[in-house]
Amino acid sequence: MSSISLHNISKVFPDGTQAVQEISLEIRAGEFLVLVGPSGCGKSTLLRLIAGLDELTGGSIKIGGENAASLLPKDRDLALVFQNYALFPNLSVYDNLSFGLKARKVSKVIIKEKIIPVSQRLGLEELLQRKPDELSGGQRQRVALGRLLVRNPSIHLLDEPLSNLDANLRTSMRHELAKLHNEYQKTTLFVTHDQVEAMTLGQRLCVMNQGRIIQVGTPTEIYDFPEHRFVAEFFGSPPINLFKGEIQSVQNNSFFTNGSIQIPLPKDSDLSEREIELGIRPEDWTVHNEAPSHSVSATLQRIENLGDTRILHFATQENAIIAKSELREFQVGRQYFLTPHWNRVHWFDLQTEKRVLR
Ligand code: ATP
C-alpha cells in the first residue's frame, strides 16, 4: 500500500488557467479520500497530476515516499478509472480485463488466474465474451472496476465513476465500492461533485473550490463544523439558511439581528458586537404553533412532502427560511414560531467567510 503526499502543488495550463493552486495534502496508505467540489474546481486535474498524465507547474508529489518526478506514469503503481470508463469498444470483456496485464507481458495462464476471481466477485462471469456496447451502464462500470482490480495497483484513482449511472444503480454501486475498498484496502482517491456520494463514501473528504483546498476532514467534521461558509453551503439538502446581520448587545443581553429576524443569544454566548453571518441548517429549527419566548415569527408558504419528512418554506418580512420536520400537521398560510438549536448553529465572518467559533 502506498501513501500519497502532495506538497504545495500547482498547475497552470498554457492558456493561463490556474487549475490547481498551492495544494498540500497527505493521503494515508489504504485510505479512501474523496475530492469534492463544484464543476471546474480542479479535481480531475489533481488526479491527472498524481497519475502523471499532466506535468506539475510547481510543488512536488511523493508516492509511497518516493518523489514522483522520477517515476513514469506506468511505474507509479496506480490506475485511473474515468467517468466514461474508457473501455476498448472492439475488445471483449475478457480482453478488456486482460489488456493491462498483456501489455506487461504477463503469461496467459496467470492472466486467467487473476481474471476469474475478479469477474466472479463483480458478477461478470457470464459476460466475458461480450463487447462493451452489449453491456448496460452498470455492467460497463463493473468492467472498468474489474480492470483495475485485475491489475491490482496500490493506488486507485476514480474520476466520477458513478456519474453515468441512474440513481438506483449509483446507490448500489456506492455500496459495492465501499465493500471493495474494505476487502482490498487500497489507497483510493475518488472524485465527485455529488455531496451525498462524498459523505457516504469518504473516510475523509477534501473540499475544493477554485483550485484550492477549503477544508479536509471526516464527513462529520465537514457537516457539523464547516470551516468556511462555502463548505456549509455545499453540504446539506435543502441548503443551510444563511443570514447576514450583526450581534448587538443591550444591557448585557446579546442578540443577532438582521431586520426582521431578532434572536437573543444564549447567556453563555461569547460573541461580541460585530457584523456576522449566521447559518442554521433546515433540520436545526424547532417549529412551534404558539410563540415561545424569543422566537422568529414566520408564515408557512409551501410544504414539500418527502414522505418521511416535510420541507417547510417560511417567509418573514425580509427573509426566506427553510426548515425540516418529521411532523405532519402543517398548514400553508399559517403563522408559526421558529427557534434554532443553538448548539448546532454556525457563525461566519462577513469578510473572510471563515468560521467564527463561539
Ligand atoms: P468537473 O467536475 O466539471 O470535471 P473538475 O473539478 O474536475 O471539473 P478540472 O477538469 O480539473 O475541474 O478543471 C479545472 C480548471 O482547469 C477548469 O477551469 C478547466 O476549464 C481548466 N482546464 C482543464 N483542463 C484544461 C486544459 N487542458 N487547458 C486549459 N484549461 C483546462
Side-chain angles (χ1 to χ4, degrees):
M1 279 194 301
S2 289
S3 59
I4 306 169
S5 176
L6 311 178
H7 181 65
N8 214 15
I9 67 170
S10 54
K11 174 69 185 174
V12 184
F13 284 106
D15 67 356
T17 305
Q18 285 224 323
V20 165
Q21 300 185 50
E22 295 160 19
I23 282 195
S24 295
L25 179 66
E26 299 289 328
I27 302 133
R28 303 172 197 131
E31 179 176 24
F32 197 122
L33 186 129
V34 174
L35 288 176
V36 59
S39 183
C41 71
K43 309 178 293 291
S44 301
T45 304
L46 196 56
L47 226 52
R48 292 175 57 82
L49 290 169
I50 294 169
L53 301 176
D54 276 336
E55 264 183 48
L56 290 171
T57 310
S60 60
I61 298 177
K62 282 187 179 166
I63 295 178
E66 233 182 299
N67 194 335
S70 57
L71 298 170
L72 289 172
K74 69 177 179 55
D75 296 328
R76 294 188 180 199
D77 196 18
L78 52 78
L80 183 56
V81 172
F82 296 96
Q83 184 175 358
N84 59 7
Y85 317 138
L87 301 179
F88 299 107
N90 49 353
L91 296 186
S92 67
V93 169
Y94 188 93
D95 289 338
N96 263 288
L97 291 175
S98 62
F99 191 86
L101 296 178
K102 261 193 199 157
R104 280 156 201 259
K105 311 251 183 298
V106 177
S107 79
K108 278 188 178 168
V109 177
I110 294 190
I111 289 179
K112 194 166 178 189
E113 274 176 12
K114 286 179 185 284
I115 287 183
I116 298 300
V118 168
S119 56
Q120 281 170 349
R121 174 66 187 77
L122 294 174
L124 294 171
E125 310 108 292
E126 309 295 319
L127 308 172
L128 290 173
Q129 297 318 317
R130 293 214 198 154
K131 299 271 173 64
D133 66 0
E134 296 162 340
L135 301 174
S136 71
Q139 289 166 338
R140 270 180 233 160
Q141 211 271 344
R142 278 185 275 149
V143 177
L145 280 178
R147 203 159 55 171
L148 183 87
L149 297 177
V150 166
R151 261 197 52 205
N152 205 20
S154 301
I155 296 172
H156 293 179
L157 305 176
L158 307 170
D159 194 350
E160 306 230 15
L162 308 184
S163 59
N164 288 336
L165 307 179
D166 68 38
N168 283 341
L169 206 49
R170 273 176 95 120
T171 310
S172 65
M173 282 312 298
R174 257 195 346 243
H175 292 309
E176 192 58 29
L177 275 175
K179 262 166 56 188
L180 284 172
H181 180 257
N182 228 358
E183 283 168 38
Y184 289 77
Q185 299 279 328
K186 300 291 180 176
T187 310
T188 304
L189 257 180
F190 182 100
V191 162
T192 182
H193 60 261
D194 181 317
Q195 50 158 314
V196 176
E197 223 161 84
M199 293 285 289
T200 51
L201 272 171
Q203 291 172 331
R204 284 195 305 156
L205 317 184
C206 170
V207 187
M208 293 179 63
N209 192 28
Q210 298 183 339
R212 293 182 188 276
I213 292 180
I214 310 294
Q215 187 173 355
V216 181
T218 64
T220 308
E221 285 164 351
I222 295 284
Y223 193 79
D224 290 347
F225 301 100
E227 288 299 332
H228 198 280
R229 178 189 195 278
F230 171 83
V231 178
E233 244 192 328
F234 192 81
F235 291 91
S237 175
I240 190 166
N241 299 281
L242 288 163
F243 309 103
K244 285 193 166 95
E246 55 189 307
I247 308 283
Q248 291 180 357
S249 289
V250 179
Q251 291 171 347
N252 276 345
N253 290 322
S254 299
F255 54 94
F256 170 83
T257 176
N258 82 336
S260 65
I261 291 185
Q262 282 220 355
I263 324 180
L265 302 187
K267 284 278 178 241
D268 60 357
S269 166
D270 50 13
L271 282 172
S272 50
E273 288 195 3
R274 61 185 291 170
E275 289 193 323
I276 204 158
E277 189 153 23
L278 168 62
I280 306 177
R281 293 203 182 278
E283 66 272 27
D284 293 333
W285 292 100
T286 304
V287 183
H288 310 266
N289 287 316
E290 308 295 334
S293 58
H294 312 311
S295 57
V296 179
S297 151
T299 308
L300 182 57
Q301 305 255 302
R302 195 158 68 89
I303 302 173
E304 284 174 275
N305 181 356
L306 303 186
D308 57 344
T309 46
R310 303 282 186 278
I311 310 294
L312 307 169
H313 295 261
F314 291 98
T316 66
Q317 262 173 3
E318 288 160 28
N319 297 103
I321 298 179
I322 301 180
K324 232 182 205 177
S325 175
E326 284 165 17
L327 304 176
R328 290 162 180 243
E329 309 306 324
F330 292 103
Q331 277 172 27
V332 169
R334 242 205 76 175
Q335 189 182 30
Y336 290 90
F337 304 90
L338 286 76
T339 49
H341 298 190
W342 280 112
N343 56 353
R344 294 187 55 85
V345 306
H346 310 273
W347 300 100
F348 300 102
D349 185 277
L350 271 191
Q351 268 72 47
T352 64
E353 303 195 341
K354 289 194 175 146
R355 183 182 191 82
V356 177
L357 294 175
R358 287 208 292 150

